[in-house]
Amino acid sequence: RLNSSHLVISYAVFCLKKNRPISIIAFSFLVYTFFLMIRRPPRSTLFPYTTLFRSAVPRAPKRVGIAADHGGFELKQYLAGILRDAHYEVVDFGDGRPRPDDDYPDFVAPLARAVAGGQVDRGVAICGSGVGACIAANKVPGVRACLIHECFSARQGIEDDDMNVICLGGKVVGNALAWELVRIFLQARFSGAERHRRRLAKVAILESVEAVL
């Protein structure tokens, strides 16, 4: 099973094979990662490896977080209701009522942190177009959010890229299509193929390095 130590060793071996010196920043990153590994940090730390590798054993999501601003409020209410009818545990991060002057980061960011920290299994983020919600969600380390408006990507985003937050446009998709996309998103499982693990590990390292820089 992959863990942080594999990432540290793989990066060092890569540098040695390519005969490249390890920069001060990269070396600091490796030392800091090793320090975090020893401390056995919680999922909310800067390096979201526990979130990434927790997906190594796919399981059916049961606890779903949902959030929306005024542009996605009606769709949020519809999806929350139908999810509960389908026996999912729904955690609503707001907004609790439609307010034209509310801001999507205020609701999407708490949802994204809950997904990254494992408080919910997957998340649904909604705004008018879905774009703003997607941008905000991806600012949280450990979140892999994507704007989805068609069925192929709703499934492939999970199977290949281990997407954990689906973003929808409340002014773009209707209720029926939105539910179909969410249903596919929740039923799909990460394939766990080696090539996908390798790519996701690189994404996690890139995310961590950029955060340090």
Side-chain angles (χ1 to χ4, degrees):
R1 182 173 175 171
L2 292 173
N3 54 41
S4 300
S5 62
H6 291 134
L7 291 174
V8 175
I9 294 171
S10 297
Y11 185 80
V13 170
F14 172 79
C15 291
L16 291 173
K17 283 185 176 181
K18 296 295 184 179
N19 197 27
R20 296 179 181 175
I22 301 178
S23 67
I24 294 176
I25 293 177
F27 179 77
S28 300
F29 164 68
L30 293 175
V31 171
Y32 187 54
T33 303
F34 182 72
F35 175 71
L36 290 177
M37 181 180 64
I38 294 175
R39 286 178 54 217
R40 304 175 73 88
R43 289 175 182 159
S44 59
T45 56
L46 178 63
F47 298 93
Y49 297 126
T50 51
T51 300
L52 176 60
F53 298 118
R54 179 165 49 84
S55 308
V57 182
R59 62 186 180 87
K62 295 297 183 183
R63 201 162 195 240
V64 180
I66 191 167
D69 65 357
H70 60 279
F73 179 80
E74 291 185 7
L75 182 56
K76 176 179 74 72
Q77 296 299 97
Y78 170 79
L79 290 174
I82 201 168
L83 282 167
R84 292 188 179 100
D85 290 342
H87 307 294
Y88 288 96
E89 180 183 355
V90 178
V91 181
D92 192 334
F93 290 85
D95 198 349
R97 57 189 176 88
R99 296 179 299 165
D101 60 344
D102 64 9
D103 301 316
Y104 57 82
D106 295 337
F107 316 108
V108 173
L111 164 66
R113 294 189 190 103
V115 172
Q119 285 80 48
V120 296
D121 298 317
R122 291 183 187 170
V124 180
I126 314 169
C127 65
S129 66
V131 175
C134 187
I135 291 172
N138 278 314
K139 294 300 181 182
V140 176
V143 169
R144 295 173 295 280
C146 190
L147 175 63
I148 301 291
H149 286 158
E150 39 77 27
C151 295
F152 173 78
S153 298
R155 178 176 290 104
Q156 190 199 40
I158 295 288
E159 294 176 347
D160 292 4
D161 306 305
D162 201 16
M163 175 176 63
N164 51 20
V165 175
I166 186 171
C167 301
L168 303 171
K171 298 180 179 179
V172 180
V173 296
N175 289 353
L177 177 56
W179 168 237
E180 179 68 7
L181 296 172
V182 170
R183 185 187 63 79
I184 292 171
F185 165 68
L186 294 176
Q187 291 181 352
R189 301 289 179 271
F190 178 51
S191 69
E194 188 279 332
R195 66 185 184 279
H196 298 316
R197 292 180 184 279
R198 183 180 69 248
R199 293 160 188 167
L200 287 170
K202 290 180 178 180
V203 171
I205 291 176
L206 176 63
E207 182 178 63
S208 301
V209 171
E210 289 297 322
V212 171
L213 295 177

